[in-house]
Amino acid sequence: MKKIAIYSRKGGTTKTTSTFNIAGILSKSYKKKVLVVDTDSQANLTERFLKHDIEEKEGADWLKNEITLEDLFLNPEKVNEGIHNSLIQLREGLPAKKRGIDIIPIKPSEINPAPTLEDIEESIGKAIPNGQVMKMLENIRRTRSHPYDYDYVIFDFSPSYNKVTREVLTAADYIMVPCTLDVNSLDGVSQIIDAINEIKANQNPDLKLIGFFLAMNNKTTAYDMQMEQMIREALGDKCMDTVIRYNTEAKWSLHNGVPLTWYKRNGKLTQDYEELVAEMLRKMDGE
Ligand SMILES: Nc1ncnc2c1ncn2[C@@H]1O[C@H](COP(=O)(O)OP(=O)(O)O)[C@@H](O)[C@H]1O
Ligand SMILES: [Mg+2]
C-alpha cells in the first residue's frame, strides 16, 4: 500500500482535480485498487466521488451520520466503517457502478459543527494524539464482503499547513505538488520545500518528494511559457517533465463526477494525466 500526498499550500492548484484523475487512471489503466482520502473540509473530492449517493439522498446531509475522516481521528480503529465505494455513472442512463476507487470522505463544513481538528479538540477538551492517520491505515482490515487490499492511498488537502496536514504528511510515503503558473506559485516553492524538510527532519524521514508538476498551463500565452521556464529553473530536478494543460474538460469531468479516463478516454488532458501517472510511477520506483 503506497501512500501518496497531493499537496500544496495554495488553493486552486488542481490538488482535487489531480487526485480525482490520478485515482481514475491507476484504477482504469493500471487495474489498481485505490483509496482516496479527503482531508479538506470544503469536501470537494467527497462530493465528486460520492456524487451518486449525494444525488440519491438529495444532498450531503446523510454524511452527518456517517463515519468520516474527523471521526477517525478520534477512533482510528473504526476505519473500515469510514470507507465508501465510489459509484460512478459514466453516462446518463447507465447504472452507477464501482470502479475500483473507494473514499474516506469528510463532512462538508456546512453540515459539520467542528470542521477542524482544533475545533474537535476544543469540543472534547483534550488534544488528539499524534499518529492517528497512520493508525487509521494500519487498522484497515480484510473482511468477507470486502478485500480492502489497496495498492494506493491518495490524500487530497486543504490549502494550509496545520495539524491535519502534518499528520497526513507523517503517514505518507510520497508527496507530489501541483503548481500553477503564476507568481504566487513561484514564491510558494521555497515554503513548500521548507515544510517537506521540516516533516522529514522531525516526523517522517522516509517521505519522498516525487516532484512538483505544472498544472493548468496555457501554452498559447507568453506569460505561461515564461513562467514555466522560471518555475523550472527555480525547481531544478524537483520539477517533473509532465505538464498538465489548461482544458475545460477538467471541469466537465469533475462536474459529472467521472474521472477523465472514463469521461474522455482519448482526450488531450486525459493523456497529460496518463503521462503524469507514468512519470509518477517511474519516480516512485526510483528511476
Ligand atoms: N487542467 C485544468 N484546466 C482547466 N481547469 C482546471 C484544470 N484543472 C483544474 N481545473 C479547475 O480549476 C479549479 C481549481 O481546481 P481544484 O482541483 O479544485 O484545485 P485545488 O483542489 O488545488 O483547490 C477547479 O474549478 C477545476 O475544475
Ligand atoms: Mg481542493
Side-chain angles (χ1 to χ4, degrees):
M1 192 166 78
K2 293 179 174 159
K3 294 160 270 172
I4 308 167
I6 310 291
Y7 178 64
S8 87
R9 290 174 75 156
K10 201 168 158 292
T13 59
T14 81
K15 290 178 292 300
T16 301
T17 308
S18 295
T19 306
F20 190 68
N21 289 308
I22 292 168
I25 285 169
L26 286 171
S27 173
K28 173 84 168 26
S29 302
Y30 293 86
K31 309 279 172 263
K32 300 295 182 189
K33 279 282 294 171
V34 185
L35 174 68
V36 297
V37 184
D38 193 354
T39 79
D40 181 358
S41 57
Q42 284 185 35
N44 294 147
L45 192 73
T46 296
E47 286 169 354
R48 297 301 92 209
F49 270 132
L50 295 180
K51 178 174 183 279
H52 178 74
D53 296 74
I54 289 172
E55 280 174 2
E56 291 268 290
K57 294 166 189 160
E58 295 175 2
D61 263 19
W62 58 283
L63 278 168
K64 268 187 196 162
N65 306 318
E66 299 290 320
I67 292 188
T68 58
L69 183 75
E70 307 88 317
D71 308 302
L72 296 177
F73 268 103
L74 297 172
N75 297 298
E77 70 288 350
K78 289 195 176 160
V79 64
N80 271 40
E81 296 168 59
I83 295 176
H84 293 246
N85 301 127
S86 169
L87 299 176
I88 298 175
Q89 184 182 29
L90 299 193
R91 273 192 306 280
E92 199 73 42
L94 291 179
K97 277 194 188 162
K98 287 195 251 180
R99 310 233 163 234
I101 302 169
D102 290 347
I103 179 166
I104 296 180
I106 194 164
K107 291 179 181 64
S109 48
E110 56 275 18
I111 64 164
N112 190 351
T116 70
L117 271 197
E118 287 75 13
D119 294 332
I120 298 174
E121 288 179 334
E122 205 179 305
S123 71
I124 59 171
K126 60 174 188 213
I128 294 170
N130 294 335
Q132 297 294 79
V133 172
M134 195 87 92
K135 266 196 206 145
M136 240 176 251
L137 298 178
E138 285 166 2
N139 271 296
I140 295 177
R141 297 173 307 283
R142 285 166 174 265
T143 62
R144 210 178 322 166
S145 57
H146 198 303
Y148 291 114
D149 49 351
Y150 299 110
D151 299 295
Y152 295 94
V153 182
I154 312 180
F155 295 95
D156 184 22
F157 286 85
S158 65
S160 49
Y161 186 57
N162 53 26
K163 181 158 179 173
V164 176
T165 324
R166 284 194 298 278
E167 274 282 296
V168 177
L169 291 178
T170 302
D173 304 310
Y174 300 93
I175 174 167
M176 195 155 78
V177 184
C179 193
T180 44
L181 293 123
D182 50 68
V183 69
N184 299 328
S185 292
L186 185 60
D187 291 347
V189 161
S190 62
Q191 258 194 350
I192 292 188
I193 293 176
D194 289 348
I196 297 171
N197 287 336
E198 193 211 302
I199 296 277
K200 280 174 75 161
N202 298 315
Q203 286 121 311
N204 184 0
D206 299 328
L207 181 65
K208 289 182 197 70
L209 173 66
I210 296 173
F212 288 69
F213 64 95
L214 303 171
M216 289 208 267
N217 190 6
N218 187 349
K219 290 215 187 242
T220 60
T221 69
Y223 182 83
D224 278 19
M225 281 171 65
Q226 219 172 320
M227 211 56 197
E228 174 171 349
Q229 216 182 338
M230 286 166 79
I231 294 179
R232 279 193 187 282
E233 269 168 31
L235 286 169
D237 62 2
K238 291 187 176 67
C239 191
M240 297 174 75
D241 296 332
T242 309
V243 175
I244 304 292
R245 77 194 64 205
Y246 182 93
N247 187 314
T248 48
E249 277 166 12
K251 300 186 196 193
W252 279 117
S253 94
L254 273 178
H255 189 112
N256 289 292
V258 182
L260 282 160
T261 188
W262 290 288
Y263 187 73
K264 259 277 153 73
R265 183 81 192 109
N266 297 312
K268 289 202 159 73
L269 182 64
T270 313
Q271 283 166 19
D272 290 349
Y273 271 111
E274 281 279 358
E275 240 177 73
L276 182 73
V277 172
E279 186 179 4
M280 175 185 98
L281 295 174
R282 283 198 305 275
K283 295 242 152 80
M284 287 168 68
D285 283 343
E287 277 176 37

